């Protein structure tokens, strides 16, 4: 096995550790680490939640012995070099006596990027960075945007018919997508800091906007945007046991709301409707990712999935990149990242 293949093999193990905590660590990134001696993993660790030891520290502590000179620490993200709720990981790596460190992605924070690498290198540690860098960075796409811009990563999610409707004709059952697809969305909710809807969605659907069937996971903040401020006070969002998690923004532009949520350390926001809000987010080029469940039905319902002004020309439309398709029950889940060719993004 070549050296490169070996590094990739063990970095994939570190990535598997990091994935254990997706959705649990906000506003921190999900990070995984493994300690390797020879060709064998002797310790593993992942960052479990904000305030708990970081992945590399958990990994080193779990070894419980003196670190051998031929040991290599693999970590999916550049070790932090600043003290926050926990001490700097670079300092603890040095104290542990690690002589070789392999890193996936560099720190996305422009103020700190590369500092951890330099500290370790200056101390005589052999450092290699950029192993499976794209995969490691993609693991924390929400954190990466928020830490660099202060604005949450925005996901547009909806379930729609083949003709692009969010609703059935009046008097028909509420749901368009299958129960399997609706259960699938719980995974996405469990990885998101906040869910955003418009006032009309609250009035018509009276949604819970909670994570269900996923065990003990953090519940997302629930955000309602309204022009009039006239909302049903008996709605589930204001009366259930998570009511303190619900917030209302009245007569505020979407971009301003997102900026305020970013200041509250919300790293990701999922817009779940309705059509006007989704369309407005698209018009303003505020959407970073879409996850759309398409049901094999033509409804002709009154509410279009993405309303708003729309593109004046086909060339001006937001085309998706890195598109993937997954069959979920009877529905198709389309995931992609809009590319905005004209103008500046919001």
């Amino acid at each position: 096995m070549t050296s490169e293949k070996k590094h990739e093999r063990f970095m994939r193990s570190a990535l598997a550790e990091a994935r254990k905590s997706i959705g649990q660590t906000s506003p921190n990134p999900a990070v995984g680490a493994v300690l390797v001696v020879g060709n064998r993993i002797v310790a593993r660790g992942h960052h479990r939640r904000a305030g708990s030891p970081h992945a590399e520290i958990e990994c080193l502590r779990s070894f419980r012995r003196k670190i051998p000179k031929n040991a290599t620490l693999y970590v999916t993200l550049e070790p932090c070099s600043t003290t926050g709720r926990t001490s700097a990981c670079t300092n603890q790596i040095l104290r542990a006596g690690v002589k070789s460190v392999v890193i996936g992605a560099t720190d996305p924070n422009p103020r700190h990027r590369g500092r951890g690498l330099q500290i370790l290198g200056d101390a005589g540690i052999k450092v290699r960075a950029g192993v499976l860098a794209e995969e490691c960075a993609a693991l924390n796409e929400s954190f990466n945007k928020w830490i660099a811009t202060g604005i949450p990563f925005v996901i547009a999610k909806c379930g729609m018919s083949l003709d692009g409707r969010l609703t059935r004709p009046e008097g028909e059952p509420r749901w368009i997508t299958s129960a399997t697809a609706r259960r699938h969305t719980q995974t996405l909710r469990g990885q998101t800091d906040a869910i955003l809807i418009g006032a009309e969605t609250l009035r018509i659907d009276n949604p819970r906007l909670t994570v269900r069937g996923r065990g003990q996971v953090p519940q997302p903040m629930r955000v309602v945007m309204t022009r009039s401020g006239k909302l049903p006070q008996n709605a589930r969002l204001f009366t259930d046991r998570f009511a303190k998690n619900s917030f209302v923004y009245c007569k505020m532009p979407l971009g301003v709301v997102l900026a305020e949520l970013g200041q509250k350390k919300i790293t990701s926001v999922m817009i779940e409707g309705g059509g006007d809000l989704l369309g407005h987010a698209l018009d303003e080029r505020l959407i970073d990712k879409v996850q759309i469940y398409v049901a094999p039905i033509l409804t002709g319902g009154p509410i279009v999935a993405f309303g708003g002004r729309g593109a004046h020309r086909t060339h001006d439309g937001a085309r998706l990149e890195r598109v993937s398709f997954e069959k979920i029950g009877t529905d198709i889940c389309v995931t992609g990242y809009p590319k905005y060719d004209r103008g500046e993004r919001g």
Side-chain angles (χ1 to χ4, degrees):
M1 183 185 295
T2 65
S3 173
E4 186 66 25
K5 292 295 184 183
K6 177 182 176 180
H7 289 326
E8 290 182 359
R9 170 192 166 194
F10 291 123
M11 188 58 73
R12 291 192 192 284
S13 296
L15 275 165
E17 285 296 306
R19 291 189 183 100
K20 294 177 181 179
S21 58
I22 291 178
Q24 310 293 309
T25 61
S26 186
N28 292 350
V31 183
V34 296
L35 185 67
V36 175
V37 177
N39 286 311
R40 187 168 66 92
I41 296 175
V42 296
R44 304 172 185 266
H46 62 275
H47 183 43
R48 297 177 183 273
R49 64 188 61 84
S52 69
H54 289 184
E56 47 271 65
I57 306 311
E58 183 175 271
C59 178
L60 294 172
R61 287 179 181 174
S62 70
F63 187 58
R64 300 182 184 279
R65 296 189 296 279
K66 184 178 179 180
I67 304 296
K69 290 183 179 180
N70 64 334
T72 298
L73 178 66
Y74 289 80
V75 59
T76 56
L77 183 65
E78 178 181 352
C80 67
S81 56
T82 57
T83 299
R85 289 196 238 186
T86 60
S87 60
C89 290
T90 49
N91 294 341
Q92 298 199 45
I93 290 171
L94 294 175
R95 291 195 198 102
V98 176
K99 301 301 182 184
S100 176
V101 179
V102 177
I103 295 164
T106 54
D107 193 328
N109 189 334
R111 295 177 297 171
H112 303 152
R113 184 180 299 127
R115 185 191 296 175
L117 303 179
Q118 183 175 352
I119 290 172
L120 295 176
D122 289 348
I125 292 178
K126 182 181 178 181
V127 179
R128 174 161 184 165
V131 176
L132 300 182
E134 289 187 8
E135 290 183 44
C136 291
L139 191 72
N140 291 299
E141 58 188 6
S142 297
F143 173 82
N144 295 343
K145 180 193 176 184
W146 173 75
I147 200 67
T149 67
I151 306 298
F153 187 83
V154 178
I155 305 162
K157 171 260 171 184
C158 67
M160 70 180 189
S161 61
L162 276 174
D163 51 344
R165 269 35 179 205
L166 293 179
T167 59
R168 291 174 179 263
E170 189 174 350
E172 292 291 313
R174 170 187 170 192
W175 300 112
I176 289 178
T177 55
S178 65
T180 304
R182 297 197 297 276
R183 285 193 297 270
H184 189 262
T185 66
Q186 297 299 318
T187 300
L188 185 58
R189 280 186 178 180
Q191 298 171 1
T192 307
D193 290 348
I195 300 174
L196 177 65
I197 63 171
E200 198 62 14
T201 297
L202 179 71
R203 296 185 188 106
I204 295 173
D205 294 342
N206 191 19
R208 293 185 176 88
L209 305 185
T210 54
V211 181
R212 301 183 290 279
R214 302 270 302 162
Q216 294 295 320
V217 297
Q219 291 293 333
M221 176 187 290
R222 305 178 300 185
V223 181
V224 183
M225 289 186 62
T226 174
R227 296 187 186 93
S228 67
K230 298 177 181 178
L231 301 174
Q233 294 306 301
N234 61 344
R236 292 188 178 107
L237 264 60
F238 307 134
T239 57
D240 66 12
R241 62 194 178 101
F242 302 114
K244 61 179 175 55
N245 237 11
S246 299
F247 295 83
V248 175
Y249 287 87
C250 185
K251 297 180 181 178
M252 292 179 64
L254 179 55
V256 175
V257 172
L258 292 173
E260 290 205 3
L261 292 175
Q263 292 174 3
K264 296 178 184 291
K265 297 187 176 181
I266 296 297
T267 67
S268 57
V269 173
M270 182 160 65
I271 301 177
E272 287 208 18
D276 287 345
L277 184 55
L278 286 166
H280 178 64
L282 183 61
D283 286 342
E284 296 300 314
R285 304 184 177 192
L286 295 170
I287 297 172
D288 297 295
K289 181 178 182 178
V290 299
Q291 186 151 326
I292 301 173
Y293 297 84
V294 183
I297 184 174
L298 302 166
T299 70
I303 300 179
V304 178
F306 289 84
R309 300 189 306 271
H312 296 295
R313 299 182 303 163
T314 302
H315 176 73
D316 298 334
R319 296 185 181 274
L320 297 186
E321 297 183 322
R322 291 175 283 160
V323 183
S324 63
F325 304 89
E326 182 179 2
K327 193 170 188 299
I328 309 292
T330 57
D331 307 315
I332 299 295
C333 179
V334 182
T335 303
Y337 299 79
K339 179 182 179 182
Y340 303 95
D341 289 327
R342 294 170 61 89
E344 297 296 327
R345 296 192 57 183

